[in-house]
Every structure is written in structure tokens, then in C-alpha cells.
Amino acid sequence: MLRQYELVEKVKSYDPAADEDMLNRAYVFSMKAHGSQLRASGDPYFSHPIEVAGILTDLKLDCETITTAILHDTIEDTVATYEQIEQLFGHDVARLVDGVTKLSRIEAQTESERAAENFRKFLLAMSDDIRVLLVKLADRLHNMRTLHFIKKEEKRRRIARETLEIYAPLAERIGMYEFKDELTEIAFRELEPQAYESITKRLEQLRETAGDLVPRVIEDIEHLLHQHGLNAEVLGREKRPHSIWKKMQERDISFEQLSDIVAFRVIVDTVPEVYRALGILHGRWPTVPGRFKDYISTPKRNGYRSVHTTVMGPGRMRIEIQIRTRDMHAQAELGLAAHWAYKAHIRAEGGQQSPWLQDLLEILEHASSPEEFLEHTKMAMYQDQVFCFTPKGELIQLPKGSTPVDFAYAVHSRLGETAVGAKVNGRVVPLRTVLQNGDQVEILRSTAQQPDPAWETFVITGKARSAIRRYVRQKEREDGIALGRRLLDALIERIKVPLAEGAIPDALERLKLPDEEALYLALARHQVSDEAVMEAILPGSAGGSPRRRKTPEPEPGNAPLALSIQGLTPGAVVHLAECCHPIPGDRIVGIREPGQGVVVHAIDCKALEAFTNQPEVWIDLRWHSEADRIERFVARLAVVMRNEPGALATVATILGQSDANIANLRLTHRDRQFFTFELDVEVTDLRHLTRVNAALRAAQVVSSVERMRL
């Protein structure tokens, strides 16, 4: 553990103007506050905040941050208060200590909720001052270094898993690769001990076999560059076991098949020298195709800049080389912390947010639950990047596997919401197309468009998925309220007695619902029965207590409710049954399913037989007489065609000429003379479908056309 004078001297060594008195007061205050508390290792608890402060001095952070590290557990684990910290050390230090403290008060939740809530608070604190993250990462790093002292294996594994899923990716996102590597390594050792031990032994054997191979490669590269007049420093570093294990899993290869276990770094003075060194190395050794990345012209979102290449180097050994300037190297080692060192204008920069942090905060704003938030933020942090361009040449960084929908939401949420199509490199493509490095993407939009719930099945980014889910939830609520209002109006009409003033508020109180919107939603989702609502509005109007009376049989020709589904979006609270594919023009009924809303069936659908004895779930529905014919509905046809060349092309042509669209096609039977297709056709209504069927039946290659029902 660092002694008081040693800690002060470390800070003064890089910041001569540091407030020595504040550091001394913080050291003494923390030591007294923690008193006789002990850690799992048996060491005085006070040693932990001092070690955390020592880690941050290696990053050359400012005096306030070091003071925060010394005090970071005092509010949480001692009798010290925020007011005391503020009075003794100032508002900024108190705010930072409070920010770190708030991240730990989450013991009551389940493991998934705890991790999500922890991360949510983390982002909020980071958005206020990124130094909270730097202190917390140093705190987690020291805790991981002493993880082996915790006796309970389950607790060790929980901490290691949380570190691997949240803290290591965060360290990587702010470019602190040294922190990320050590956090990942210790977590990997705890979670996969056998894999860690196996890879470690393989690395030891490799060192023994290779001997002085790394020093010889370094010497060869340095000599080559010096011959061409470049003053370069060359470093060689063995990849960590977790990095090797991850690569083995991703590529599905064995340890022996890995050929770039050691990475070499070439450090020069200027950017032109970076590209000059690259040319010299490529001129000397052949490159490995597909292994070149230029993070100088297109930096990573965390600010990382370097040129990566892989060559068949000395002894025909494949080696990875990273070329960068000295400033880039400092940035790669310290990441965001390099900009927050004592000499930076921290208060001036404190309000700035990285683009990735802005994305995560937007996801946080719209997530409906802690688990959903954590799912989306993991998506936002984990995946590798592809680089695409807007038509104006602006660079957009996305995770691998992203689609034009992800691209649209990355540019702006409104662009994503109004996307109807996309052009990639000038060619119109489906919205589910996977984007590649260097693609130029143009989003086609319409102000009448709204997010399609089906997009959620193929988007990659957490921001896009969060926005789509937010829209679906909002649409379900809006449609639920609209449907529930119609249901309530129909129930009031059935009562046939003028209601007294205050009948609805009294009913809400009896039903224990907070407001009318809650009643509408409960009716739409069939979470409360019609009879219960009628009894609550006017006791006795439903013929007695719904719990005691027998379910009445509906009178012939008098269905319980008759509603129009005009303006309700299929897929929200009204769902078109897939068993019968109803379309405008069909006579329809609705089945109210608890928690789901209303499922619309054609009146002759055989699936309705299952609800014969449940008249209370039936709703007599009708299409609006002037339904929007721009909307398309799917009808399923069984089409029998002659088995001859061009038959399917003829059917497709007829459908196109009839303004119908093929949504799905499946071959169900084939013999020498005929074959049968199940054909899902998008039409506007029953009259349109009738015209389509007539046109198909008139074709010589078509033997029969029948609409399919369950």
C-alpha cells in the first residue's frame, strides 16, 4: 500500500501545482473513516481506496480525481456524509464521490436487474462527468486483482461475469486497453479456469520453442526502417489468453492454427511517417489479404487511431504489425484518460459526450425495463465495426451485420422512423441487406411511414431495436385505448339506462383502476370481463354478480358487441388470424384473448369452433366501409398448375397485371402433369381477390384456384 507521502509525491511528480494539502487531508480522513474495517484478504479496508488512487496516478489524473479515489467508499461504507465531503473537499469532489457511491446501492434486486440498474446509473453519472467512470474502473480493477480472496465461488463468478460483460467493454469503449485486457484476463481465469490454464501452458511451450524469435523480429523491423531513414521504436507483445481463446472460438480453429499470437507495434513521430513505414514493410514482406485496417483515416468511436497490417514476416511467419505515432500510442494506452490528465482543462471538457455514450443514453431513455436496457447496451458495445458513408460523404460507424435500418437510426432517429427503402452504392436493396465496409448508403423516406415491427427481427444495433420496441409499445397503447373506448361505449349502450354523474369514476374505484385509460386498456386486453365492468358502472346491470351467475347464451343475431376496426393497426391490439387470413369484404368476428387483444377471424374459420362455449369473448366486427385501400392484406390460395415450362412465370405475370403481390410461395405437391402451390397474395379487399382469382382461372396453365382456410 502506498504511504501518504509516496502518494503525494507521485501526484506532484507529474502535477507540481497539485493541492498537496487536499491530498493529505483526504488520506487522513479516509483512514479514520474506515477505521478497523477489513477486506476479504484480511488487509485493512483503507488499503483499497489508496491502491485505487495509486492506479489513477499512473494515468496522471488530476488532483480532484485522485482525491475522489481516496474517498470513494467513505459515504457508502462509513458514517461520513455528502455534506462533510463537500465542506472539507469542495463541491466537485463531493459530486464525484456521490456519483461513484450511487453505483453500488443496488443489493435488493435480482442479478439481472442489479447489473442493468448498475449500468443505468453508471451512464447517468458518466454523462455528468466521465471521471466517475475512470474512478469506478480503477476500483473494479483493484477488486479484480484481489478477487481470489473471496471464498464463495458463486460470488467470484458473478463479479467476474459482470466485469466481462460491462466493465471490460466500457474500458475498451474509452480506449483504455490496458485496463480492458487486465479486467478481461482475470475474469476469464475465474470463469474458464481450464481454458485459461491450457492456453497459458501452450504459450509457455511456444516461448521455449521460439526462443529469441520476438527480439529477432523486433531487430529485423527496426533495422529495415532505420535503413530507410526512419527513427522508429518497435515493441512486441504476446496476446493475452482471453484474446487467443476468443479468436479460437470465433474462427473455430485450434491453438496450433493461430499464426499471429504476437503483435508488434511500430511507433514513429508523425502521420506521414506512419504511411511511409507501412510502405517500407509492405515492400519488404508480402501482405496477408483482408488484414489491413486504417484507423487513422477512419478512427474508432473511442478515438483510437493506428494502422494495422499483417505480413508474412521473417521466417515466413505471419505477424501482425500496428503502426502509430507517439501521441496515438499514448492515446491507445490511456484512451479517454489521456484527455483527462491533470494538464487538460477538465471543467471545460466535462460536458462533452462521446457519440457512443450519446447512443447509450438514448437507449436508456426509451428502454421499458432494466433487462431490455442491458440487452440493447450490450449490443451497442460488443460488436466489431463496419464503416459506411452517407451520400454527402459523412462517415457512419456501425456494428458488423448492420442493415440500412441500423444505418438510418444511427444518422438520426427520425430518419429511421420514416425509412421506406434504401440505396446501397446507388442500387435499391431490401432494408434487411447486410452492409459492408465502404458502402455508400442513401435512405429513402416517406413522412407517412412508421417503423415496421418486423424490423426488430433483423436490426443489429441496440439504438434501432430500442426505438422500434418503443414505437410498438406506444402503438399498442394507442390502439388499446382506442379499442377499449369503443368497447366501453358499446357496454354503456347495452345497459340502456342513463348513467348518473360520476358513474365512471365510481366504477374505476370499484375495479381498482387508476384512470379511464387503464380501464380502456384492461377492456382491450380482456384483463377485466364485460360483466364486471357493467356491474361496476351500474350494479345489477349484468344480471347479478358475474362470479355467481352462469354465462348467458347470446341471443340469435345479437352478438354481444359490434365494432368497426377502422384506424386500428393490425399487429398492435388487433391481430389478423393466420389460420384464415381475413381481408376487407370478409364477414369477420373477433376473439378477445387475455393479455393479447382481439384476434380477427373470418366467420367461416374452423378455429372458431374452440370458442363456441365462450360467448363472452366474441365481438361482432366489421371493416370500415371506406377502408384505406392503400393497405394490403394477405390471402392464401391453393393454385394447381400444369407441369410445363413457363407456367409459374405466367401466374406471376397475371398477378402483377392484377396489381397483386406475392408475399410467399410454397410448393406442396408435384407429379408428371400438375403441381400445387400455396400462394400468399397481397390484395386490398375481397373484390380485388375475386378479380385475381378470376384472372388466374382464365389462364390455360391453371387447373384450379381455391382460397385456403384452416
Side-chain angles (χ1 to χ4, degrees):
M1 182 181 74
L2 286 172
R3 297 183 180 182
Q4 185 173 344
Y5 75 90
E6 292 174 330
L7 179 64
V8 173
E9 284 181 357
K10 285 194 71 174
V11 178
K12 297 281 283 186
S13 67
Y14 62 80
D15 183 9
D19 189 340
E20 183 176 343
D21 179 58
M22 183 165 69
L23 292 170
N24 284 322
R25 284 187 288 111
Y27 195 102
V28 173
F29 182 90
S30 182
M31 182 171 62
K32 288 183 178 179
H34 287 292
S36 60
Q37 293 175 348
L38 298 177
R39 287 175 58 79
S41 62
D43 294 332
Y45 191 93
F46 171 66
S47 64
H48 167 66
I50 299 305
E51 290 298 329
V52 172
I55 291 171
L56 294 175
T57 60
D58 293 335
L59 302 179
K60 296 182 172 57
L61 292 182
D62 67 295
C63 187
E64 286 184 349
T65 307
I66 304 302
T67 303
T68 299
I70 298 172
L71 302 170
H72 79 270
D73 277 336
T74 52
I75 295 178
E76 179 187 0
D77 294 330
T78 76
V79 295
T81 64
Y82 176 91
E83 289 72 23
Q84 282 182 287
I85 301 295
E86 185 175 33
Q87 182 180 0
L88 293 171
F89 303 100
H91 174 72
D92 284 344
V93 170
R95 178 174 53 82
L96 290 169
V97 173
D98 186 53
V100 177
T101 301
K102 286 178 179 177
L103 305 180
S104 305
R105 294 177 175 172
I106 47 174
E107 295 303 320
Q109 295 106 324
T110 64
E111 182 173 335
S112 60
E113 288 176 334
R114 181 169 59 246
E117 181 67 6
N118 196 357
F119 198 34
R120 184 186 71 83
K121 291 180 178 179
F122 218 154
L123 289 180
L124 292 174
M126 286 160 52
S127 65
D128 182 50
D129 196 320
I130 200 70
R131 289 177 292 177
V132 171
L133 171 58
L134 302 181
V135 174
K136 190 61 181 178
L137 286 176
D139 173 51
R140 178 53 63 114
L141 180 58
H142 184 254
N143 283 332
M144 290 299 289
R145 288 174 177 174
T146 57
L147 183 67
H148 57 283
F149 289 112
I150 296 176
K151 294 181 180 180
K152 291 185 178 180
E153 180 184 357
E154 182 182 348
K155 185 176 181 180
R156 291 199 310 271
R157 291 180 65 84
R158 177 183 64 77
I159 294 171
R161 193 177 303 110
E162 186 178 66
T163 299
L164 202 60
E165 292 182 351
I166 294 177
Y167 291 93
L170 275 171
E172 181 179 17
R173 270 291 178 263
I174 62 173
M176 298 179 67
Y177 289 98
E178 291 296 325
F179 271 46
K180 175 254 182 183
D181 287 344
E182 188 172 355
L183 288 170
T184 300
E185 208 57 36
I186 300 172
F188 174 55
R189 185 173 61 200
E190 179 63 42
L191 295 172
E192 301 287 346
Q194 293 181 339
Y196 179 85
E197 184 180 359
S198 174
I199 293 174
T200 302
K201 287 182 178 179
R202 296 285 189 89
L203 288 173
E204 290 174 357
Q205 295 171 1
L206 187 64
R207 289 187 210 108
E208 293 175 2
T209 304
D212 61 348
L213 179 63
V214 172
R216 282 193 286 110
V217 172
I218 291 175
E219 185 179 348
D220 285 350
I221 295 175
E222 282 184 340
H223 179 69
L224 175 65
L225 296 176
H226 288 167
Q227 275 186 325
H228 289 78
L230 276 180
N231 180 27
E233 179 184 0
V234 183
L235 307 173
R237 194 178 76 163
E238 192 178 77
K239 292 192 174 178
R240 302 242 183 180
H242 178 263
S243 176
I244 294 171
W245 180 74
K246 188 177 178 183
K247 191 164 289 188
M248 289 167 60
Q249 283 196 318
E250 289 174 350
R251 300 183 186 176
D252 195 22
I253 56 178
S254 65
F255 183 89
E256 289 75 15
Q257 291 174 289
L258 288 171
S259 54
D260 51 354
I261 290 175
V262 179
F264 295 89
R265 292 169 179 168
V266 175
I267 303 171
V268 294
D269 293 324
T270 66
V271 173
E273 287 182 348
V274 170
Y275 292 104
R276 189 175 163 211
L278 178 68
I280 294 169
L281 293 170
H282 281 186
R284 174 65 179 84
W285 293 299
T287 63
V288 177
R291 299 285 306 203
F292 174 75
K293 294 178 181 177
D294 188 344
Y295 293 119
I296 294 179
S297 63
T298 53
K300 290 187 177 182
R301 299 194 82 187
N302 59 18
Y304 175 86
R305 294 183 299 157
S306 189
V307 169
H308 293 195
T309 187
T310 302
V311 299
M312 299 303 294
R316 301 298 296 172
M317 181 180 71
R318 192 164 90 159
I319 58 174
E320 180 184 320
I321 303 175
Q322 301 166 0
I323 314 171
R324 59 181 70 145
T325 66
R326 300 186 193 283
D327 288 342
M328 293 174 191
H329 184 62
Q331 168 78 9
E333 294 296 305
L334 301 179
L336 195 60
H339 297 295
W340 291 80
Y342 75 98
K343 58 188 176 183
H345 299 290
I346 293 172
R347 290 184 181 86
E349 297 183 19
Q352 295 180 358
Q353 293 177 4
S354 301
W356 66 271
L357 179 55
Q358 293 173 356
D359 286 349
L360 295 188
L361 288 171
E362 187 171 337
I363 291 171
L364 167 62
E365 181 183 350
H366 300 303
S368 64
S369 66
E371 290 83 356
E372 180 182 318
F373 166 65
L374 191 59
E375 173 197 345
H376 294 161
T377 49
K378 285 180 182 178
M379 291 169 62
M381 290 198 304
Y382 284 159
Q383 295 130 318
D384 293 334
Q385 303 279 302
V386 295
F387 301 91
C388 300
F389 296 90
T390 68
K392 294 182 179 179
E394 180 186 354
L395 181 68
I396 303 296
Q397 298 182 32
L398 296 164
K400 280 187 177 177
S402 291
T403 66
V405 176
D406 296 295
F407 179 93
Y409 277 103
V411 174
H412 196 279
S413 296
R414 183 57 184 160
L415 183 62
E417 291 170 356
T418 55
V420 293
K423 287 184 179 180
V424 175
N425 303 322
R427 185 169 58 90
V428 177
V429 299
L431 285 174
R432 61 172 58 245
T433 302
V434 175
L435 300 176
Q436 304 297 324
N437 264 323
D439 281 346
Q440 184 187 72
V441 184
E442 178 185 355
I443 300 299
L444 309 177
R445 58 184 303 192
S446 168
T447 54
Q449 173 68 2
Q450 294 176 327
D452 186 343
W455 290 352
E456 191 183 339
T457 62
F458 60 77
V459 294
I460 294 295
T461 60
K463 182 177 181 181
R465 183 162 294 183
S466 174
I468 294 165
R469 286 185 179 177
R470 179 182 77 247
Y471 166 77
V472 171
R473 286 194 300 268
Q474 180 181 342
K475 190 61 181 173
E476 285 178 345
R477 178 176 176 80
E478 290 174 355
D479 280 11
I481 290 172
L483 176 61
R485 186 179 286 114
R486 297 178 193 179
L487 290 170
L488 181 62
D489 289 343
L491 289 175
I492 292 173
E493 285 183 16
R494 191 194 296 179
I495 293 175
K496 297 180 180 178
V497 174
L499 298 183
E501 186 176 349
I504 298 300
D506 290 345
L508 293 174
E509 188 174 342
R510 294 187 185 103
L511 294 169
K512 297 181 180 180
L513 294 172
D515 51 38
E516 287 192 41
E517 286 192 352
L519 174 59
Y520 298 150
L521 290 170
L523 275 170
R525 295 167 180 166
H526 201 45
Q527 294 169 332
V528 58
S529 69
D530 298 344
E531 290 79 6
V533 174
M534 293 173 67
E535 285 293 320
I537 294 173
L538 184 66
S541 60
S545 171
R547 293 182 179 177
R548 295 179 181 176
R549 72 184 186 87
K550 189 176 179 181
T551 302
E553 293 293 330
E555 298 178 11
N558 184 24
L561 298 170
L563 301 171
S564 165
I565 61 172
Q566 177 195 17
L568 299 179
T569 305
V573 294
V574 171
H575 309 273
L576 300 181
E578 295 186 1
C579 48
C580 54
H581 294 284
I583 62 176
D586 289 331
R587 187 184 171 196
I588 52 175
V589 294
I591 299 296
R592 296 161 68 189
E593 298 187 3
Q596 298 298 316
V598 177
V599 181
V600 181
H601 293 264
I603 194 66
D604 56 351
C605 179
K606 293 183 180 179
L608 294 174
E609 294 176 3
F611 303 96
T612 302
N613 296 322
Q614 303 176 55
E616 69 278 4
V617 303
W618 289 63
I619 305 177
D620 188 13
L621 296 177
R622 62 179 181 273
W623 305 101
H624 190 253
S625 59
E626 297 180 2
D628 185 357
R629 293 298 183 245
I630 296 176
E631 187 176 359
R632 297 274 178 158
F633 298 84
V634 173
R636 179 164 293 175
L637 305 177
V639 182
V640 180
M641 291 178 270
R642 296 183 185 278
N643 189 357
E644 61 183 55
L648 186 57
T650 300
V651 169
T653 300
I654 293 171
L655 291 173
Q657 292 172 342
S658 303
D659 192 30
N661 186 47
I662 299 176
N664 195 21
L665 180 70
R666 186 167 71 93
L667 178 65
T668 59
H669 178 73
R670 179 174 182 173
D671 56 32
R672 287 187 176 183
Q673 291 185 313
F674 298 96
F675 56 91
T676 304
F677 279 101
E678 282 185 5
L679 199 62
D680 288 351
V681 181
E682 292 179 347
V683 294
T684 56
D685 55 24
L686 185 59
R687 285 183 295 177
H688 186 191
L689 179 62
T690 302
R691 291 197 304 270
V692 169
N693 288 347
L696 288 173
R697 291 180 180 126
Q700 290 185 349
V701 297
V702 175
S703 174
S704 66
V705 179
E706 298 295 336
R707 187 175 177 189
M708 295 182 65
R709 304 284 201 199
L710 182 66

